[in-house]
Amino acid sequence: MKDGNCIFCKIANGEIPSATVYEDDDFRVILDLGPASRGHALILPKNHFKDICEADEVTAGKLFPLAAKIGAAMKKGLGADGFNVVQNNGSCAGQTVFHLHVHVIPRYEGGPVMVSWDPGKAESEELAKTADAIKAAL
Ligand code: AMP
Ligand code: ZN
């Protein structure tokens, strides 16, 4: 299913041109217009899902293997030393385009720090309570 008002639907399905690095029946992989590093790519499903929770398991199951393939090509083709796989769900998590996408961000030795956080502290009792709350909702 496509959403006629969604820019990533239009890009994924070729209605809007993009710097495409990979395409198959289910996905188009494009370069991000505001790259965090050289080669920053976005994996776009051709069908519209708002986020990972809306995606069917077959589509979701193909995302990690494809991210690995793209990341490996970044290492080989661009000389990247590693890469981050990032996927934002919800505006509070940094999602700005509400069509499921996976960022594959090449990383270069000596490059800027990104995708990081300050580690907090948690007591084991609190961790157990938090784990119970998630388990109960599964
Ligand atoms: P997110 O914040 O996870 O929703 O990521 C959205 C990403 O899409 C950002 O990194 C934007 O730079 C990128 N973006 C937005 N519009 C376009 C576009 N038309 N073509 C390529 N990348 C885009
Ligand atoms: Zn869409």
Side-chain angles (χ1 to χ4, degrees):
M1 275 248 293
K2 325 291 179 227
D3 176 337
N5 295 316
C6 171
I7 186 166
F8 278 7
C9 277
K10 292 189 174 121
I11 293 173
N13 292 283
E15 290 167 44
I16 294 178
S18 61
T20 295
V21 300
Y22 174 86
E23 185 182 6
D24 63 22
D25 288 347
D26 303 311
F27 300 99
R28 181 186 296 270
V29 182
I30 65 165
L31 293 187
D32 196 298
L33 273 186
S37 65
R38 179 170 178 257
H40 181 166
L42 300 173
I43 302 175
L44 311 180
K46 290 189 174 178
N47 284 321
H48 182 86
F49 308 101
K50 179 181 72 172
D51 60 22
I52 194 70
C53 297
E54 269 199 358
D56 62 86
E57 288 190 4
V58 173
T59 303
K62 290 176 177 172
L63 284 169
F64 254 106
L66 183 51
K69 183 185 178 89
I70 299 297
M74 289 164 168
K75 291 174 78 175
K76 198 171 166 194
L78 298 177
D81 298 298
F83 59 94
N84 294 108
V85 177
V86 177
Q87 199 274 310
N88 300 325
N89 298 281
S91 47
C92 71
Q95 186 176 9
T96 59
V97 181
F98 292 86
H99 173 121
L100 170 62
H101 54 280
V102 174
H103 298 255
V104 185
I105 306 173
R107 300 297 297 271
Y108 302 91
E109 291 298 346
V113 174
M114 54 176 110
V115 197
S116 69
W117 55 86
D118 296 327
K121 280 209 167 82
E123 301 300 331
S124 55
E125 201 176 300
E126 187 195 338
L127 290 178
K129 261 197 203 165
T130 305
D132 283 346
I134 297 170
K135 271 191 262 179
L138 285 173

